[in-house]
Amino acid sequence: MSFGMNKFTVVKKKRLEKAQFNVECNIDANAEIGKILSVCHNAQVENAEILNGVASFSGIIDVCMLYSTVDGEIGTINSSCPFSSKFENDSIQVGDKVGIKVEVVDCHIDSVAGATVKLSCMCEQSGVLICGREVQNVSGGDESVCIKDDELFVNTFVGEAKETFVVDNEVSIKEPIRKVLFCDSQVSIKTIENGVNFVSVGGDVVSRILYLTENDRFESVYTTESFKEEIDLEGATREGVSEAEAVVKRSACKCEVEELEKGVTIRLSIPVEVNVRSYEERSERVVKDVYSTEKELQISTESFDMTKTLSYDTFEAKIDGSLSLDSEKPRVDKIMFVGATNLCITNAYLKNGEVNVEGITKTNVVYLNDEANSLHSVLIEVPFVIAERANVPCEDAQVEVSAMVFDVDVVVKKGREFYFDAKLKIKASYDCENVGAVISSIAEQGDLEEKDCAIEVVFAKAGQTAWDIAKSLKVREELITLQNPEVAFPLDKDENIVVYYQKRG
């Protein structure tokens, strides 16, 4: 007796263990620096390589640094610092896909010497391994084998695609300006829609421009530009579900200023990279139950894990906080400008039907002290916890969050009390773990004993099917239905089922 074998592939997502690594940056400002006022940083993974047991990756940290020179001028440095790291895990295999996230959790100035700045960034790496694993199962046997098929829905990985496009934005300012000091753009995703062989991704690019007027006044403006792009992805279907991640390629952003008769026009060209992965639930025919009319069988089953990518939520939230200036620091007579705001998500989880997002924002505020007629900088750290109703049916789902901060505002009272508020755009994605099982092998245990009677009466219970009775007697299901034509299955009450046997051979 021999049995055929079948196989299908399921997708499983595995969280990679978080770890930290340090990146040292040497930055040249081309001017003698007197004081660093603000630092904005953003880490981006650009390349990843999968080997058995190792996922190596590399990328850059884009740094935008505001400083004052020894002569009191305000300048800007834009620089990129390379980094590389890896995950080590026995479950990583060649052919797997990996989604890697790197966040700068702490950043400090090591030294400033003339025009050179040494910066140290502590980064945290996290990621998810996307595995396609084969499941083997029995598919059939010889004529003496009775098989009951079933439809099993499994979660599969369709593929991934990456595309970079440019979002253009234009801002009009109704007064002359001396120069643009700082331009920072961020991206958030609002919609992900599947099509046939493509995934449509929509979102917003929010940019903040800090500039100096001809009257030496610092001003800033926020501007938002929406986008919707179709990313080609072979195999994607309307019935599938996709996830998307987007980053601004900050080192390639362009800012052009056109002088007008009564002001200026600032034009931004912002490259956005979108990475999409698509998944689908597919139907597979599997053997649900099996027996032989001639042999005793030993049946083995095997369970398997798979991951179902669920819907996502997008929402906005408001955060606020305060800071008391240390007594040894000069008092605040005037806030000159709010510098960079850096955001780090530290935790995300589901509880009582809500998605909880924890994180911290760090904002530099540059202020003037009249007594010394000098500029000073203070860092305002605001931890936050946000809870929003989650659109997800699986309470123990894994949560992945991306967020951006905008509309930052800081005021000061009594020269020493800072009050901070800002808005967040948040996207929360969910994955749910499923377990399936199949008949993985069947072994022959010997011949069945031949029936020693020509007729048998079975006392069947309500709810039993013809298959149940046939399996218990080791006869074909058709024998039960043909010899008991007046009986309807499954039974709605207890019945006596009569079976007539024929001698083998």
Side-chain angles (χ1 to χ4, degrees):
M1 180 182 298
S2 62
F3 290 90
M5 296 300 294
N6 191 17
K7 59 184 178 181
F8 55 85
T9 302
V10 299
V11 64
K12 170 68 178 175
K13 292 184 180 180
K14 300 178 181 178
R15 302 286 162 172
L16 296 171
E17 186 175 358
K18 290 184 178 181
Q20 292 188 343
F21 62 94
N22 191 62
V23 179
E24 294 183 356
C25 303
N26 293 313
I27 301 172
D28 187 3
N30 295 319
E32 191 171 356
I33 297 174
K35 186 181 294 183
I36 302 297
L37 301 175
S38 178
V39 178
C40 176
H41 44 70
N42 181 66
Q44 299 178 12
V45 176
E46 296 190 318
N47 299 291
E49 182 182 15
I50 304 295
L51 300 174
N52 288 335
V54 180
S56 303
F57 61 91
S58 61
I60 58 171
I61 300 175
D62 286 327
V63 177
C64 182
M65 189 177 298
L66 287 174
Y67 64 92
S68 61
T69 68
V70 292
D71 298 325
E73 291 292 319
I74 304 295
T76 306
I77 313 168
N78 289 291
S79 183
S80 295
C81 307
F83 66 80
S84 62
S85 186
K86 62 183 177 181
F87 293 95
E88 294 182 297
N89 191 300
D90 291 340
S91 64
I92 299 173
Q93 297 182 16
V94 172
D96 290 345
K97 304 295 182 181
V98 65
I100 300 173
K101 183 178 181 180
V102 173
E103 286 193 308
V104 179
V105 296
D106 190 29
C107 182
H108 63 270
I109 306 296
D110 288 336
S111 65
V112 178
T116 302
V117 180
K118 289 187 176 181
L119 189 69
S120 182
C121 295
M122 181 56 67
C123 299
E124 183 175 83
Q125 64 187 49
S126 60
V128 60
L129 191 69
I130 303 164
C131 318
R133 296 292 184 257
E134 286 188 343
V135 178
Q136 293 208 17
N137 61 104
V138 172
S139 63
D142 60 26
E143 291 184 357
S144 69
V145 175
C146 301
I147 289 177
K148 188 175 186 179
D149 285 338
D150 193 18
E151 186 177 34
L152 179 66
F153 291 95
V154 298
N155 304 313
T156 61
F157 177 65
V158 175
E160 67 176 349
K162 184 183 293 186
E163 186 174 306
T164 300
F165 53 89
V166 175
V167 176
D168 295 317
N169 203 347
E170 188 174 290
V171 180
S172 295
I173 298 175
K174 303 301 183 182
E175 62 176 329
I177 69 172
R178 282 181 58 190
K179 62 179 177 179
V180 173
L181 296 173
F182 174 82
C183 181
D184 181 41
S185 297
Q186 304 173 78
V187 60
S188 67
I189 291 176
K190 295 194 300 185
T191 61
I192 308 169
E193 300 172 355
N194 266 41
V196 178
N197 294 323
F198 73 89
V199 178
S200 177
V201 179
D204 293 328
V205 173
V206 178
S207 301
R208 182 196 172 211
I209 303 170
L210 175 67
Y211 60 92
L212 185 64
T213 71
E214 285 194 338
N215 298 324
D216 291 333
R217 191 176 70 254
F218 296 94
E219 298 286 352
S220 65
V221 60
Y222 281 93
T223 178
T224 300
E225 188 71 26
S226 297
F227 66 87
K228 192 166 187 177
E229 291 287 326
E230 291 185 358
I231 314 300
D232 292 336
L233 202 167
E234 186 70 27
T237 66
R238 290 190 176 92
E239 294 75 28
V241 176
S242 294
E243 58 189 5
E245 302 157 354
V247 295
V248 171
K249 308 295 286 184
R250 299 190 186 191
S251 58
C253 290
K254 295 180 180 179
C255 176
E256 296 179 351
V257 180
E258 180 185 358
E259 300 285 347
L260 303 176
E261 185 177 347
K262 294 183 179 180
V264 299
T265 295
I266 300 176
R267 295 186 178 89
L268 304 177
S269 295
I270 306 159
V272 175
E273 182 182 87
V274 174
N275 188 47
V276 296
R277 302 185 191 95
S278 190
Y279 306 86
E280 191 173 53
E281 188 176 66
R282 293 177 180 169
S283 172
E284 295 285 346
R285 299 304 300 181
V286 297
V287 175
K288 182 179 181 181
D289 200 2
V290 60
Y291 64 92
S292 172
T293 60
E294 297 179 359
K295 305 288 184 180
E296 290 282 2
L297 303 180
Q298 183 180 25
I299 299 172
S300 299
T301 61
E302 183 176 339
S303 62
F304 57 90
D305 298 328
M306 55 186 173
T307 304
K308 185 173 184 178
T309 299
L310 303 174
S311 59
Y312 61 93
D313 289 320
T314 59
F315 52 89
E316 290 190 8
K318 189 172 183 179
I319 59 174
D320 54 48
S322 61
L323 173 72
S324 296
L325 199 62
D326 293 341
S327 58
E328 64 269 16
K329 285 187 175 291
R331 66 170 280 117
V332 182
D333 291 305
K334 181 182 180 182
I335 291 180
M336 302 302 291
F337 60 86
V338 177
T341 298
N342 297 299
L343 169 68
C344 181
I345 301 298
T346 57
N347 195 19
Y349 57 93
L350 289 172
K351 185 178 180 180
N352 299 327
E354 292 183 329
V355 56
N356 295 262
V357 181
E358 301 174 0
I360 186 169
T361 63
K362 299 180 181 181
T363 300
N364 289 105
V365 180
V366 179
Y367 67 90
L368 179 68
N369 175 260
D370 288 342
E371 186 176 352
N373 192 29
S374 58
L375 288 178
H376 300 271
S377 178
V378 64
L379 181 66
I380 300 177
E381 296 189 9
V382 178
F384 60 85
V385 179
I386 297 168
E388 289 283 338
R389 180 61 55 184
N391 180 33
V392 57
C394 182
E395 180 63 28
D396 58 350
Q398 294 279 351
V399 184
E400 185 68 31
V401 167
S402 59
M404 59 174 284
V405 60
F406 67 107
D407 280 357
V408 177
D409 187 35
V410 179
V411 298
V412 65
K413 295 182 179 180
K414 300 180 181 180
R416 309 202 74 82
E417 300 292 331
F418 289 97
Y419 294 90
F420 166 98
D421 67 75
K423 295 178 182 177
L424 298 180
K425 289 180 181 284
I426 297 174
K427 179 173 77 71
S429 303
Y430 311 108
D431 291 324
C432 191
E433 301 303 316
N434 298 149
V435 177
V438 293
I439 296 177
S440 57
S441 65
I442 301 174
E444 181 183 328
Q445 295 294 98
D447 295 335
L448 292 173
E449 291 185 7
E450 190 170 341
K451 299 288 185 179
D452 58 1
C453 59
I455 185 171
E456 187 173 358
V457 178
V458 179
F459 302 99
K461 297 293 185 181
Q464 284 191 297
T465 65
W467 173 273
D468 298 329
I469 299 166
K471 182 181 178 182
S472 68
L473 298 174
K474 299 296 189 291
V475 298
R476 291 198 169 276
E477 186 178 9
E478 309 90 79
L479 185 65
I480 303 298
T481 55
L482 288 173
Q483 292 183 359
N484 297 271
E486 75 286 355
V487 179
F489 295 97
L491 300 176
D492 58 5
K493 62 180 181 177
D494 295 350
E495 292 274 4
N496 292 333
I497 305 298
V498 179
V499 182
Y500 300 92
Y501 296 117
Q502 292 181 344
K503 292 291 183 181
R504 294 180 188 167

